[in-house]
Amino acid sequence: MNHVLEYGGLLLAAFLSATVLPFQSEVVLFGLLITEHYQWWLLILVASVGNTLGSAVNWLLGRLLSQFESRPWFPVKRETIARAEGWYHRYGRWSLLLSWLPFVGDPLTIVAGVLREPFLIFVAIVAVAKTARYFAVAAMTFGWF
């Protein structure tokens, strides 16, 4: 594989953009796509894996934060968490399809961890959303629609 550094840079950019850090992996993907030196499907795969891994870190952070909910300094009351759990179990799982959105998606993946969304379900839904976003970037870049 000739372009290991470029693919690694895309993986890192996608990972960082899935965290609460302000980073735009779509720009990196677009730049690599227009050079036409890379296989588009592999770029989408690498970006999707990196972004899904970053969301998994957010889920883990949310899960770890939930261990402190009984502490007096914890900023959210148990009653509020119970209401959020009820809402999330009614609507939340499928709202993870919006995890690709800027400003909304990253906190949503943290909330999924706090509310103990099963990890495999979380990863499956988030991976679909992230892959669809990167596929859309490639489709717009190449004029597929």
Side-chain angles (χ1 to χ4, degrees):
M1 191 165 180
N2 289 343
H3 303 287
V4 174
L5 287 178
E6 291 93 339
Y7 284 110
L10 176 61
L11 183 82
L12 182 61
F15 178 86
L16 292 174
S17 72
T19 65
V20 293
L21 298 173
F23 211 84
Q24 294 299 317
S25 59
E26 295 86 357
V27 174
V28 176
L29 176 62
F30 175 76
L32 292 171
L33 286 168
I34 63 171
T35 64
E36 298 182 4
H37 294 298
Y38 311 94
Q39 297 189 22
W40 66 267
W41 62 268
L42 188 54
L43 290 171
I44 291 172
L45 177 66
V46 168
S48 300
V49 167
N51 212 242
T52 302
L53 286 172
S55 292
V57 169
N58 288 347
W59 180 91
L60 181 61
L61 288 172
R63 189 68 184 245
L64 293 173
L65 283 175
S66 69
Q67 294 178 6
F68 299 105
E69 70 180 313
S70 63
R71 305 281 170 91
W73 52 264
F74 194 75
V76 183
K77 297 192 182 298
R78 179 65 197 138
E79 298 80 30
T80 305
I81 293 172
R83 279 194 305 271
E85 284 174 341
W87 175 85
Y88 192 81
H89 289 300
R90 187 166 178 192
Y91 304 107
R93 176 173 287 167
W94 299 110
S95 67
L96 289 170
L97 289 171
L98 301 176
S99 62
W100 64 272
L101 286 171
F103 307 111
V104 175
D106 300 339
L108 187 59
T109 59
I110 294 170
V111 168
V114 169
L115 298 179
R116 298 173 184 86
E117 181 65 44
F119 185 70
L120 292 179
I121 292 170
F122 169 84
V123 168
I125 294 171
V126 168
V128 166
K130 305 294 187 161
T131 302
R133 181 223 357 231
Y134 289 123
F135 185 80
V137 170
M140 287 187 286
T141 301
F142 295 130
W144 295 340
F145 56 57

